[in-house]
Every structure is written in structure tokens, then in C-alpha cells.
Amino acid sequence: GGDPVTPGEVRDLIDRVPSLLVLDGLDEVGRIPARNRIVKEINLFCGRARTSAVPPRVLVTSRPNSAGLAEPDAEMFEVIALSPMDRRLRDDYLRRWCVVHRVNENDARALRRNFNEKTREPYIGELAGNPMQLTILLYLLRQQGDATPDQRTELYDAYMGLLLAREANKHPDSVRKHRKELQEIVPFLGWHLQSRAEEHNHSGRMSHQEVDAAMRHFQRTYGKPENAVDELLEAASERLWALT
């Protein structure tokens, strides 16, 4: 409730009762110095906690790390990767989603029918295997019903609109201010990556410098300010603002 808590009180609590500590969203720490410090403190905490009568369970959640950032000590942690949601789990998720959002039975039945029809398309079915993407898809289906886009480009545009609205509440100084630029730059970067892969058998990866140069080229070509690129790249290192 906002009251101050001292390290001693935390240690006393852990010594008294079995505890579960959940550290959610390590992937959102993109700055290397901060990431290194946080991982170091996690490892030190787990080392000290081993002396408790009942050592606490510690759960750290993160998206896959493809940037070589620091991770908690593999000797202390068991790594568990989430698999795509199967049909049974998706159906259960849809049922619970309807309950949480107070969708009446008739509307829920229509939503399930629409969901089953749309997910027959392979690229929509793939989205439904990821919890965040599934949540966005269900929101679109409830909002637009049969009018929900089923063509890739229109569906992508609808997804990006909702995703950026979500991100604007978490990184307002950059995403909210440059939302229009993002909606133009991200498709360009996707095309740029694809064309490089097709022409030069490229792996589909770009360095920070290459992304920076491509974004500045796009801004210059269309007479847009280049100073937005610095803010957008900083936002990308701390928050997700693009679908891959």
C-alpha cells in the first residue's frame, strides 16, 4: 500500500514463511548497465536466500534473449520455455476471456464462431498461438465482428494500431509522440529486410547501425525530421514497438 519496507523486514518475512518471488519482464530492461546490475542482484539474492529455513522460490520471466544480454545464473535457475498454445488451451483462454470481459452468452457464441472461422487462415492461426497476439485478435474480433480484416496487410495495420496504443501508455515520451512515424517506418523496415534477404541471401538480421541508417534514409527521402530516429531507437531498446 505504499508503506516503506526495509531489507531487514523482507529477510525476516522470507525466514518466517515459504515465499514465492516473481520478477516479471526482465526483457524490458534493454540498457546493458542496468541489465547487468539487475541480474547481478538477482544472483546475489538467490545466493543469500539459500541459507533460509525454507529458501524462497524465485521466478524470472523474459522474452527470448537474442541480443546477448545478461541472464540469471544457469546453475541457480531452471530454464522453461513456453510452447505455442494448442487448440484446447486457446479455447479455454477464449472462454475465460469472455468471462473476464463480461461477454454475454449469445455474443460469446458468435465470437467463438468467428474466431474458429478466422483461425483457419494459416497466418491468423499462427497469431492465435501467442497469448499477447491472441488477446489482440480477440479484441479485434469483438470490436469488428465479421468485418475483422482477414487480409494480411489490413490485419497487420489493425494489429499495429492496437499495439502502438498499448505501448504509448508505457513509453509515452517516444511512442506517443512519434506514433505516426512508427506506423510508416516499421513497414518500410520490414520491406527492407525482406528485399535484402531475397537479393543477397541475407539472414534477415540487421545491426543497430544498419537499422539507424535505414530509418534516417527513410526520413530524409520523405522530408521528415531525422532527430526522431534517436528517440525511436531508444524506445526500441526498452520496449517492444514492432511486430516480428
Side-chain angles (χ1 to χ4, degrees), residues 130-161:
N130 176 292
M132 187 184 82
Q133 316 285 22
L134 176 56
T135 301
I136 296 176
L137 179 60
L138 291 177
Y139 179 84
L140 285 173
L141 287 169
R142 187 186 183 195
Q143 185 183 59
Q144 301 185 21
D146 292 332
T148 302
D150 54 13
Q151 298 301 310
R152 289 179 192 241
T153 302
E154 291 180 356
L155 183 66
Y156 173 84
D157 288 341
Y159 257 70
M160 283 300 296

mmCIF file of all heavy atoms in Angstrom, residues 130-161:
data_model
loop_
_atom_site.group_PDB
_atom_site.id
_atom_site.type_symbol
_atom_site.label_atom_id
_atom_site.label_comp_id
_atom_site.label_asym_id
_atom_site.label_seq_id
_atom_site.Cartn_x
_atom_site.Cartn_y
_atom_site.Cartn_z
ATOM 1 N N ASN A 130 0.043 -17.351 -29.665
ATOM 2 C CA ASN A 130 0.786 -16.497 -28.745
ATOM 3 C C ASN A 130 -0.199 -15.719 -27.884
ATOM 4 O O ASN A 130 -1.107 -15.075 -28.417
ATOM 5 C CB ASN A 130 1.666 -15.536 -29.562
ATOM 6 C CG ASN A 130 2.416 -14.544 -28.710
ATOM 7 O OD1 ASN A 130 1.817 -13.666 -28.103
ATOM 8 N ND2 ASN A 130 3.727 -14.681 -28.679
ATOM 9 N N PRO A 131 -0.061 -15.742 -26.551
ATOM 10 C CA PRO A 131 -1.067 -15.109 -25.689
ATOM 11 C C PRO A 131 -1.314 -13.635 -25.985
ATOM 12 O O PRO A 131 -2.462 -13.196 -26.035
ATOM 13 C CB PRO A 131 -0.501 -15.304 -24.271
ATOM 14 C CG PRO A 131 0.351 -16.522 -24.381
ATOM 15 C CD PRO A 131 0.942 -16.474 -25.763
ATOM 16 N N MET A 132 -0.234 -12.840 -26.197
ATOM 17 C CA MET A 132 -0.443 -11.418 -26.449
ATOM 18 C C MET A 132 -1.139 -11.203 -27.780
ATOM 19 O O MET A 132 -2.079 -10.412 -27.896
ATOM 20 C CB MET A 132 0.882 -10.655 -26.427
ATOM 21 C CG MET A 132 0.679 -9.135 -26.528
ATOM 22 S SD MET A 132 2.204 -8.202 -26.629
ATOM 23 C CE MET A 132 2.587 -8.347 -28.369
ATOM 24 N N GLN A 133 -0.676 -11.940 -28.823
ATOM 25 C CA GLN A 133 -1.301 -11.799 -30.132
ATOM 26 C C GLN A 133 -2.757 -12.267 -30.098
ATOM 27 O O GLN A 133 -3.632 -11.690 -30.742
ATOM 28 C CB GLN A 133 -0.536 -12.620 -31.185
ATOM 29 C CG GLN A 133 0.975 -12.504 -31.123
ATOM 30 C CD GLN A 133 1.484 -11.183 -31.667
ATOM 31 O OE1 GLN A 133 0.753 -10.208 -31.718
ATOM 32 N NE2 GLN A 133 2.730 -11.152 -32.060
ATOM 33 N N LEU A 134 -2.996 -13.333 -29.340
ATOM 34 C CA LEU A 134 -4.360 -13.853 -29.230
ATOM 35 C C LEU A 134 -5.265 -12.823 -28.565
ATOM 36 O O LEU A 134 -6.415 -12.633 -28.966
ATOM 37 C CB LEU A 134 -4.358 -15.159 -28.435
ATOM 38 C CG LEU A 134 -5.724 -15.801 -28.143
ATOM 39 C CD1 LEU A 134 -6.492 -16.050 -29.435
ATOM 40 C CD2 LEU A 134 -5.552 -17.098 -27.363
ATOM 41 N N THR A 135 -4.752 -12.145 -27.555
ATOM 42 C CA THR A 135 -5.544 -11.116 -26.870
ATOM 43 C C THR A 135 -5.919 -9.995 -27.830
ATOM 44 O O THR A 135 -7.065 -9.519 -27.842
ATOM 45 C CB THR A 135 -4.751 -10.549 -25.680
ATOM 46 O OG1 THR A 135 -4.436 -11.612 -24.773
ATOM 47 C CG2 THR A 135 -5.555 -9.496 -24.937
ATOM 48 N N ILE A 136 -4.959 -9.549 -28.647
ATOM 49 C CA ILE A 136 -5.236 -8.501 -29.628
ATOM 50 C C ILE A 136 -6.258 -8.993 -30.652
ATOM 51 O O ILE A 136 -7.187 -8.274 -31.028
ATOM 52 C CB ILE A 136 -3.935 -8.059 -30.326
ATOM 53 C CG1 ILE A 136 -2.973 -7.414 -29.318
ATOM 54 C CG2 ILE A 136 -4.233 -7.075 -31.463
ATOM 55 C CD1 ILE A 136 -1.626 -7.033 -29.904
ATOM 56 N N LEU A 137 -6.090 -10.237 -31.109
ATOM 57 C CA LEU A 137 -7.010 -10.804 -32.092
ATOM 58 C C LEU A 137 -8.431 -10.863 -31.544
ATOM 59 O O LEU A 137 -9.397 -10.502 -32.233
ATOM 60 C CB LEU A 137 -6.532 -12.196 -32.502
ATOM 61 C CG LEU A 137 -7.391 -12.946 -33.524
ATOM 62 C CD1 LEU A 137 -7.484 -12.167 -34.821
ATOM 63 C CD2 LEU A 137 -6.825 -14.340 -33.774
ATOM 64 N N LEU A 138 -8.584 -11.297 -30.293
ATOM 65 C CA LEU A 138 -9.918 -11.383 -29.687
ATOM 66 C C LEU A 138 -10.535 -9.991 -29.542
ATOM 67 O O LEU A 138 -11.744 -9.819 -29.742
ATOM 68 C CB LEU A 138 -9.831 -12.066 -28.325
ATOM 69 C CG LEU A 138 -9.482 -13.564 -28.362
ATOM 70 C CD1 LEU A 138 -9.362 -14.107 -26.942
ATOM 71 C CD2 LEU A 138 -10.524 -14.349 -29.139
ATOM 72 N N TYR A 139 -9.715 -9.016 -29.209
ATOM 73 C CA TYR A 139 -10.231 -7.644 -29.098
ATOM 74 C C TYR A 139 -10.746 -7.170 -30.463
ATOM 75 O O TYR A 139 -11.821 -6.561 -30.553
ATOM 76 C CB TYR A 139 -9.127 -6.722 -28.585
ATOM 77 C CG TYR A 139 -9.561 -5.285 -28.451
ATOM 78 C CD1 TYR A 139 -10.229 -4.842 -27.310
ATOM 79 C CD2 TYR A 139 -9.322 -4.360 -29.470
ATOM 80 C CE1 TYR A 139 -10.639 -3.518 -27.183
ATOM 81 C CE2 TYR A 139 -9.726 -3.048 -29.362
ATOM 82 C CZ TYR A 139 -10.380 -2.627 -28.219
ATOM 83 O OH TYR A 139 -10.787 -1.321 -28.107
ATOM 84 N N LEU A 140 -9.975 -7.447 -31.523
ATOM 85 C CA LEU A 140 -10.408 -7.051 -32.860
ATOM 86 C C LEU A 140 -11.697 -7.754 -33.252
ATOM 87 O O LEU A 140 -12.613 -7.143 -33.821
ATOM 88 C CB LEU A 140 -9.317 -7.377 -33.880
ATOM 89 C CG LEU A 140 -8.089 -6.465 -33.912
ATOM 90 C CD1 LEU A 140 -7.036 -7.031 -34.857
ATOM 91 C CD2 LEU A 140 -8.474 -5.057 -34.341
ATOM 92 N N LEU A 141 -11.785 -9.044 -32.949
ATOM 93 C CA LEU A 141 -12.983 -9.818 -33.309
ATOM 94 C C LEU A 141 -14.210 -9.301 -32.568
ATOM 95 O O LEU A 141 -15.298 -9.216 -33.133
ATOM 96 C CB LEU A 141 -12.770 -11.299 -32.996
ATOM 97 C CG LEU A 141 -11.814 -12.058 -33.922
ATOM 98 C CD1 LEU A 141 -11.491 -13.431 -33.352
ATOM 99 C CD2 LEU A 141 -12.408 -12.181 -35.313
ATOM 100 N N ARG A 142 -14.036 -8.962 -31.317
ATOM 101 C CA ARG A 142 -15.187 -8.454 -30.556
ATOM 102 C C ARG A 142 -15.577 -7.063 -31.034
ATOM 103 O O ARG A 142 -16.750 -6.719 -31.098
ATOM 104 C CB ARG A 142 -14.853 -8.411 -29.061
ATOM 105 C CG ARG A 142 -16.072 -8.061 -28.211
ATOM 106 C CD ARG A 142 -15.737 -7.864 -26.761
ATOM 107 N NE ARG A 142 -16.921 -7.593 -25.979
ATOM 108 C CZ ARG A 142 -16.905 -7.107 -24.750
ATOM 109 N NH1 ARG A 142 -15.752 -6.849 -24.160
ATOM 110 N NH2 ARG A 142 -18.026 -6.875 -24.091
ATOM 111 N N GLN A 143 -14.572 -6.260 -31.391
ATOM 112 C CA GLN A 143 -14.826 -4.884 -31.800
ATOM 113 C C GLN A 143 -15.418 -4.809 -33.198
ATOM 114 O O GLN A 143 -16.325 -4.016 -33.467
ATOM 115 C CB GLN A 143 -13.509 -4.096 -31.734
ATOM 116 C CG GLN A 143 -13.637 -2.609 -32.021
ATOM 117 C CD GLN A 143 -12.292 -1.928 -31.995
ATOM 118 O OE1 GLN A 143 -11.391 -2.292 -32.755
ATOM 119 N NE2 GLN A 143 -12.128 -0.957 -31.118
ATOM 120 N N GLN A 144 -14.917 -5.667 -34.122
ATOM 121 C CA GLN A 144 -15.286 -5.538 -35.527
ATOM 122 C C GLN A 144 -16.107 -6.703 -36.063
ATOM 123 O O GLN A 144 -16.625 -6.623 -37.178
ATOM 124 C CB GLN A 144 -14.013 -5.370 -36.368
ATOM 125 C CG GLN A 144 -13.197 -4.157 -35.950
ATOM 126 C CD GLN A 144 -11.999 -3.931 -36.855
ATOM 127 O OE1 GLN A 144 -11.958 -4.397 -37.983
ATOM 128 N NE2 GLN A 144 -11.014 -3.201 -36.362
ATOM 129 N N GLY A 145 -16.199 -7.798 -35.307
ATOM 130 C CA GLY A 145 -17.028 -8.923 -35.723
ATOM 131 C C GLY A 145 -16.618 -9.482 -37.072
ATOM 132 O O GLY A 145 -15.441 -9.694 -37.344
ATOM 133 N N ASP A 146 -17.598 -9.702 -37.941
ATOM 134 C CA ASP A 146 -17.325 -10.270 -39.264
ATOM 135 C C ASP A 146 -16.475 -9.339 -40.125
ATOM 136 O O ASP A 146 -15.898 -9.772 -41.126
ATOM 137 C CB ASP A 146 -18.637 -10.572 -40.001
ATOM 138 C CG ASP A 146 -19.408 -11.714 -39.345
ATOM 139 O OD1 ASP A 146 -18.744 -12.569 -38.720
ATOM 140 O OD2 ASP A 146 -20.641 -11.733 -39.443
ATOM 141 N N ALA A 147 -16.412 -8.052 -39.739
ATOM 142 C CA ALA A 147 -15.629 -7.086 -40.512
ATOM 143 C C ALA A 147 -14.147 -7.112 -40.136
ATOM 144 O O ALA A 147 -13.360 -6.348 -40.701
ATOM 145 C CB ALA A 147 -16.183 -5.674 -40.303
ATOM 146 N N THR A 148 -13.750 -7.975 -39.205
ATOM 147 C CA THR A 148 -12.338 -8.077 -38.833
ATOM 148 C C THR A 148 -11.519 -8.413 -40.069
ATOM 149 O O THR A 148 -11.861 -9.341 -40.802
ATOM 150 C CB THR A 148 -12.128 -9.176 -37.771
ATOM 151 O OG1 THR A 148 -12.933 -8.869 -36.633
ATOM 152 C CG2 THR A 148 -10.669 -9.247 -37.356
ATOM 153 N N PRO A 149 -10.435 -7.664 -40.336
ATOM 154 C CA PRO A 149 -9.647 -7.926 -41.547
ATOM 155 C C PRO A 149 -9.141 -9.364 -41.600
ATOM 156 O O PRO A 149 -8.705 -9.915 -40.592
ATOM 157 C CB PRO A 149 -8.468 -6.947 -41.416
ATOM 158 C CG PRO A 149 -8.938 -5.886 -40.484
ATOM 159 C CD PRO A 149 -9.872 -6.561 -39.536
ATOM 160 N N ASP A 150 -9.222 -9.973 -42.797
ATOM 161 C CA ASP A 150 -8.640 -11.304 -42.967
ATOM 162 C C ASP A 150 -7.550 -11.298 -44.029
ATOM 163 O O ASP A 150 -6.979 -12.337 -44.340
ATOM 164 C CB ASP A 150 -9.710 -12.343 -43.306
ATOM 165 C CG ASP A 150 -10.542 -11.934 -44.501
ATOM 166 O OD1 ASP A 150 -10.148 -10.988 -45.206
ATOM 167 O OD2 ASP A 150 -11.592 -12.571 -44.731
ATOM 168 N N GLN A 151 -7.276 -10.109 -44.599
ATOM 169 C CA GLN A 151 -6.137 -9.972 -45.489
ATOM 170 C C GLN A 151 -4.925 -9.536 -44.664
ATOM 171 O O GLN A 151 -5.050 -8.741 -43.739
ATOM 172 C CB GLN A 151 -6.420 -8.929 -46.577
ATOM 173 C CG GLN A 151 -7.591 -9.307 -47.469
ATOM 174 C CD GLN A 151 -7.372 -10.624 -48.177
ATOM 175 O OE1 GLN A 151 -6.324 -10.837 -48.785
ATOM 176 N NE2 GLN A 151 -8.344 -11.531 -48.097
ATOM 177 N N ARG A 152 -3.759 -10.036 -45.033
ATOM 178 C CA ARG A 152 -2.578 -9.813 -44.201
ATOM 179 C C ARG A 152 -2.302 -8.341 -43.927
ATOM 180 O O ARG A 152 -2.068 -7.947 -42.792
ATOM 181 C CB ARG A 152 -1.343 -10.432 -44.869
ATOM 182 C CG ARG A 152 -1.331 -11.946 -44.850
ATOM 183 C CD ARG A 152 -0.094 -12.446 -45.564
ATOM 184 N NE ARG A 152 -0.188 -13.883 -45.801
ATOM 185 C CZ ARG A 152 0.655 -14.771 -45.313
ATOM 186 N NH1 ARG A 152 1.639 -14.376 -44.558
ATOM 187 N NH2 ARG A 152 0.526 -16.050 -45.580
ATOM 188 N N THR A 153 -2.301 -7.513 -44.989
ATOM 189 C CA THR A 153 -1.918 -6.113 -44.810
ATOM 190 C C THR A 153 -2.906 -5.380 -43.908
ATOM 191 O O THR A 153 -2.506 -4.660 -42.997
ATOM 192 C CB THR A 153 -1.820 -5.404 -46.173
ATOM 193 O OG1 THR A 153 -0.869 -6.100 -46.979
ATOM 194 C CG2 THR A 153 -1.378 -3.962 -45.995
ATOM 195 N N GLU A 154 -4.197 -5.569 -44.144
ATOM 196 C CA GLU A 154 -5.205 -4.905 -43.314
ATOM 197 C C GLU A 154 -5.138 -5.400 -41.876
ATOM 198 O O GLU A 154 -5.275 -4.622 -40.931
ATOM 199 C CB GLU A 154 -6.600 -5.167 -43.887
ATOM 200 C CG GLU A 154 -6.851 -4.481 -45.224
ATOM 201 C CD GLU A 154 -8.245 -4.778 -45.733
ATOM 202 O OE1 GLU A 154 -8.969 -5.573 -45.087
ATOM 203 O OE2 GLU A 154 -8.629 -4.211 -46.772
ATOM 204 N N LEU A 155 -4.934 -6.710 -41.701
ATOM 205 C CA LEU A 155 -4.837 -7.265 -40.354
ATOM 206 C C LEU A 155 -3.607 -6.706 -39.641
ATOM 207 O O LEU A 155 -3.653 -6.353 -38.462
ATOM 208 C CB LEU A 155 -4.764 -8.788 -40.424
ATOM 209 C CG LEU A 155 -4.718 -9.516 -39.070
ATOM 210 C CD1 LEU A 155 -6.028 -9.316 -38.315
ATOM 211 C CD2 LEU A 155 -4.443 -10.998 -39.273
ATOM 212 N N TYR A 156 -2.495 -6.609 -40.371
ATOM 213 C CA TYR A 156 -1.265 -6.061 -39.799
ATOM 214 C C TYR A 156 -1.495 -4.617 -39.353
ATOM 215 O O TYR A 156 -1.082 -4.225 -38.258
ATOM 216 C CB TYR A 156 -0.144 -6.124 -40.837
ATOM 217 C CG TYR A 156 1.122 -5.431 -40.403
ATOM 218 C CD1 TYR A 156 2.060 -6.087 -39.601
ATOM 219 C CD2 TYR A 156 1.380 -4.117 -40.766
ATOM 220 C CE1 TYR A 156 3.206 -5.440 -39.194
ATOM 221 C CE2 TYR A 156 2.525 -3.471 -40.373
ATOM 222 C CZ TYR A 156 3.447 -4.137 -39.580
ATOM 223 O OH TYR A 156 4.581 -3.489 -39.172
ATOM 224 N N ASP A 157 -2.139 -3.811 -40.192
ATOM 225 C CA ASP A 157 -2.396 -2.416 -39.834
ATOM 226 C C ASP A 157 -3.243 -2.317 -38.563
ATOM 227 O O ASP A 157 -2.995 -1.485 -37.695
ATOM 228 C CB ASP A 157 -3.108 -1.694 -40.981
ATOM 229 C CG ASP A 157 -2.185 -1.430 -42.161
ATOM 230 O OD1 ASP A 157 -0.956 -1.467 -41.969
ATOM 231 O OD2 ASP A 157 -2.698 -1.190 -43.277
ATOM 232 N N ALA A 158 -4.255 -3.180 -38.468
ATOM 233 C CA ALA A 158 -5.109 -3.171 -37.277
ATOM 234 C C ALA A 158 -4.318 -3.586 -36.033
ATOM 235 O O ALA A 158 -4.467 -2.994 -34.953
ATOM 236 C CB ALA A 158 -6.296 -4.113 -37.477
ATOM 237 N N TYR A 159 -3.453 -4.596 -36.187
ATOM 238 C CA TYR A 159 -2.615 -5.035 -35.078
ATOM 239 C C TYR A 159 -1.681 -3.915 -34.630
ATOM 240 O O TYR A 159 -1.521 -3.659 -33.444
ATOM 241 C CB TYR A 159 -1.784 -6.254 -35.506
ATOM 242 C CG TYR A 159 -2.304 -7.554 -34.974
ATOM 243 C CD1 TYR A 159 -3.497 -8.080 -35.462
ATOM 244 C CD2 TYR A 159 -1.637 -8.260 -33.985
ATOM 245 C CE1 TYR A 159 -3.988 -9.282 -34.995
ATOM 246 C CE2 TYR A 159 -2.116 -9.457 -33.514
ATOM 247 C CZ TYR A 159 -3.297 -9.968 -34.012
ATOM 248 O OH TYR A 159 -3.783 -11.145 -33.533
ATOM 249 N N MET A 160 -1.023 -3.283 -35.603
ATOM 250 C CA MET A 160 -0.077 -2.220 -35.260
ATOM 251 C C MET A 160 -0.774 -1.077 -34.535
ATOM 252 O O MET A 160 -0.234 -0.494 -33.600
ATOM 253 C CB MET A 160 0.618 -1.698 -36.517
ATOM 254 C CG MET A 160 1.708 -2.598 -37.052
ATOM 255 S SD MET A 160 3.061 -2.871 -35.862
ATOM 256 C CE MET A 160 3.706 -1.205 -35.696
ATOM 257 N N GLY A 161 -1.988 -0.739 -34.964
ATOM 258 C CA GLY A 161 -2.726 0.330 -34.295
ATOM 259 C C GLY A 161 -2.969 0.015 -32.835
ATOM 260 O O GLY A 161 -2.745 0.857 -31.955
#
